Amino acid sequence: MTKIDDVMYYPILIVVLAVAGIYFSFRTNFVQLRLFPESIRAVKEKPGEKGKVSSFQALMVSTASRVGTGNIVGVSTAIVLGGPGAAFWMWVLAIVGSATAFIESTLAQIYKRKDEKTGGCYGGPAYYIETALKSKFLAGLFVVCLILTYGFGFNLLCSYNLQSTFSVYGFYNPSVTPKIIGAIIALAVFISIVGGGKSMIRVTEVIVPFMGVAYVLVSIIVLVLNIGMLPEVFRMIFTDAFSGRSFAGGLAGSCLVYGIKRGLYSNEAGVGSAPNAAASAEVSHPVKQGLVQFLSVYIDTLLICSATAFMILISGVAIKPDMAGAPMVQESLRSIFGSFGPLFITVAMIMFAFTTLIGNLYYCETGLSYLNGNKKPSDGFMKIFYVVAALVVFFGAIISMEAAWALADITMGLMALINIPCCVILGGVAIKALKDYEEQKKAGKEPEFHAKSVGLNPEDLDYWE
């Protein structure tokens, strides 16, 4: 799996991500930078009808799916095993990749469909692939990859990452503790997804945003207490990012490859997951949600991932390969806050991991509905699925770090390799929609979308016309 993983990311995915991001950046005149103020305005807009999903709510859903254990463990793994320069390549991927995030979310809005039961809307890559490219097979293949990614790859990794945070405590026994933690997580997830733990989910939905804010605040405290080290931290990041080792044959251990891998895992720009949330927003023009969605990439990588990177590098704790992951972050905070540091990371990981596990299975359920003709599968099938999902969580806690990361990287990479080429083929539609949006804004109008304005047949769009 590691060999497949290495080849998939270098040279294949690095080239695909870079070319697509640069291509969309130039085609949109760097919309992710040029219209940043407009994206802030768009996120404040309320839906036309009460009860519909707002831009802000859709942003929070997609941000919740992005912000998770990868922001802590993924960044730590990249820096410890790849070098400080990995942080720089994460930033580059976020800025360039946010143009791809704009395209995929705008396309999801254009080709979204009406939900006759609720009066709302839904969509995502499967729907723009099926509608615009007329390929039900490719759309189905993407959904299968999505289910493999979120139901298996990501949940295996999330479970592993959570149990690894307990390795710094004295009671941790490598042969016993992971199994106990895995069983507890699996049971909690099973109870929640079968409907018995709705109150648990509601509690975490309230706690996690506060946990995210608390995490950033703790990182700011670390920075303030070690402010004199900040110039040295930036020197370390930039020196390592452009060192010969960074580009040495694209080896798995280079900071370039680690930065791309962990950056993609964290912000998911181009993977095709966020468009599923973006399509649910009620807006007057698809571009509005495209603008809002690239904000999610910035929040995830430029804010929260950077917080982790700075905490590790500014703490002065020696970087050791055997501490890759949560232990490195925990030891960094221990040097500042004593025993509270590791405990804080453990609590944050529990909160992030639990909601991530539940959110990932939500994506799986929507995928299964698509494969079943947009109808929820039978109760009997779903019970079997829930049992399998819980078992996956259990096994994730006891597999090796290398296997967990490789599986997540491979399944996520497959999604990106289907979604990004489709976005390149269909990108002209999103770019026309952007021009239409900007023309209406210049004319002093509140932008409204019509199929003919971007050269589409109104009959081909289920929601807008």
Side-chain angles (χ1 to χ4, degrees):
M1 288 190 297
T2 302
K3 288 180 180 178
I4 294 171
D5 184 12
D6 291 346
V7 173
M8 178 178 282
Y9 280 82
Y10 183 87
I12 301 172
L13 260 173
I14 285 182
V15 172
V16 170
L17 289 167
V19 170
I22 293 169
Y23 171 73
F24 288 133
S25 293
F26 279 99
R27 286 293 307 274
T28 60
N29 293 322
F30 288 86
V31 64
Q32 70 270 41
L33 302 176
R34 188 168 50 85
L35 293 187
F36 180 78
E38 178 66 11
S39 69
I40 301 296
R41 191 200 67 78
V43 80
K44 298 176 183 177
E45 185 175 303
K46 295 182 179 180
E49 296 179 39
K50 192 176 181 181
K52 296 292 181 71
V53 178
S54 69
S55 288
F56 179 75
Q57 287 172 319
L59 172 67
M60 288 299 100
V61 171
S62 60
T63 302
S65 73
R66 286 185 167 112
V67 175
T69 60
N71 297 84
I72 300 174
V73 178
V75 177
S76 171
T77 303
I79 289 174
V80 173
L81 300 182
F88 172 81
W89 295 111
M90 283 186 188
W91 298 335
V92 171
L93 182 67
I95 294 170
V96 174
S98 57
T100 306
F102 167 80
I103 295 292
E104 64 179 355
S105 293
T106 301
L107 287 173
Q109 269 284 329
I110 292 172
Y111 292 102
K112 66 183 180 180
R113 299 184 183 183
K114 290 179 183 176
D115 188 334
E116 301 298 341
K117 291 183 180 179
T118 65
C121 48
Y122 61 92
Y127 297 94
Y128 58 68
I129 291 171
E130 179 185 337
T131 304
L133 297 181
K134 311 295 183 186
S135 178
K136 205 164 178 63
F137 169 78
L138 190 59
L141 181 61
F142 174 83
V143 171
V144 170
C145 290
L146 182 146
I147 293 169
L148 290 174
T149 299
Y150 287 88
F152 292 87
F154 281 8
N155 273 8
L156 279 169
L157 180 58
C158 186
S159 181
Y160 170 82
N161 286 341
L162 177 54
Q163 74 82 17
S164 71
T165 64
F166 291 88
S167 64
V168 298
Y169 300 110
F171 63 79
Y172 188 87
N173 183 331
S175 60
V176 178
T177 311
K179 295 174 184 176
I180 296 173
I181 295 172
I184 294 171
I185 305 168
L187 182 61
V189 168
F190 182 76
I191 292 171
S192 299
I193 57 181
V194 297
K198 289 183 178 177
S199 59
M200 197 187 306
I201 297 171
R202 282 197 293 269
V203 169
T204 55
E205 284 177 344
V206 173
I207 292 175
V208 168
F210 286 105
M211 204 70 227
V213 172
Y215 187 73
V216 173
L217 287 176
V218 166
S219 70
I220 291 172
I221 293 171
V222 173
L223 289 177
V224 170
L225 292 176
N226 297 274
I227 196 69
M229 280 281 292
L230 196 57
E232 175 62 15
V233 167
F234 277 109
R235 188 198 66 76
M236 289 167 60
I237 291 173
F238 287 102
T239 300
D240 190 54
F242 294 99
S243 68
R245 190 175 67 85
S246 176
F247 303 95
L251 298 175
S254 72
C255 70
L256 171 64
V257 175
Y258 262 112
I260 297 295
K261 279 185 180 180
R262 301 299 165 252
L264 182 62
Y265 172 70
S266 180
N267 65 49
E268 300 177 18
V271 171
S273 54
N276 293 281
S280 66
E282 181 77 19
V283 291
S284 64
H285 198 289
V287 166
K288 288 183 178 179
Q289 201 57 32
L291 295 173
V292 168
Q293 285 303 315
F294 71 63
L295 279 179
S296 183
V297 178
Y298 289 164
I299 292 169
D300 174 272
T301 306
L302 300 184
L303 185 61
I304 300 180
C305 285
S306 295
T308 301
F310 286 134
M311 280 195 292
I312 292 172
L313 297 173
I314 210 168
S315 68
V317 175
I319 295 175
K320 300 176 183 177
D322 60 346
M323 292 175 65
M328 187 68 231
V329 187
Q330 288 173 305
E331 286 305 310
S332 297
L333 284 188
R334 190 195 296 276
S335 68
I336 308 294
F337 300 107
S339 59
F340 170 76
L343 181 62
F344 173 78
I345 294 299
T346 300
V347 173
M349 286 287 288
I350 291 171
M351 294 294 100
F352 287 151
F354 185 74
T355 50
T356 297
L357 289 166
I358 301 300
N360 287 350
L361 292 174
Y362 168 76
Y363 279 137
C364 291
E365 288 191 29
T366 58
L368 289 169
S369 296
Y370 175 84
L371 295 176
N372 195 45
N374 291 324
K375 294 181 293 183
K376 187 176 179 179
S378 67
D379 290 340
F381 177 87
M382 290 309 298
K383 285 178 182 177
I384 295 171
F385 172 74
Y386 293 149
V387 171
V388 172
L391 288 173
V392 166
V393 172
F394 172 75
F395 283 114
I398 61 176
I399 63 175
S400 70
M401 181 178 76
E402 293 81 3
W405 278 111
L407 271 168
D409 283 341
I410 291 168
T411 53
M412 173 181 64
L414 290 172
M415 281 181 67
L417 287 174
I418 295 173
N419 182 55
I420 292 177
C422 291
C423 287
V424 172
I425 295 169
L426 300 173
V429 175
I431 291 164
K432 286 179 182 177
L434 174 61
K435 290 178 180 177
D436 174 63
Y437 179 87
E438 292 191 89
E439 286 172 1
Q440 291 189 55
K441 289 290 292 183
K442 286 178 182 176
K445 301 177 183 177
E446 184 59 36
E448 292 186 357
F449 181 74
H450 298 284
K452 290 181 179 178
S453 63
V454 295
L456 294 177
N457 185 344
E459 294 179 2
D460 291 336
L461 301 186
D462 181 74
Y463 181 86
W464 293 100
E465 306 294 343

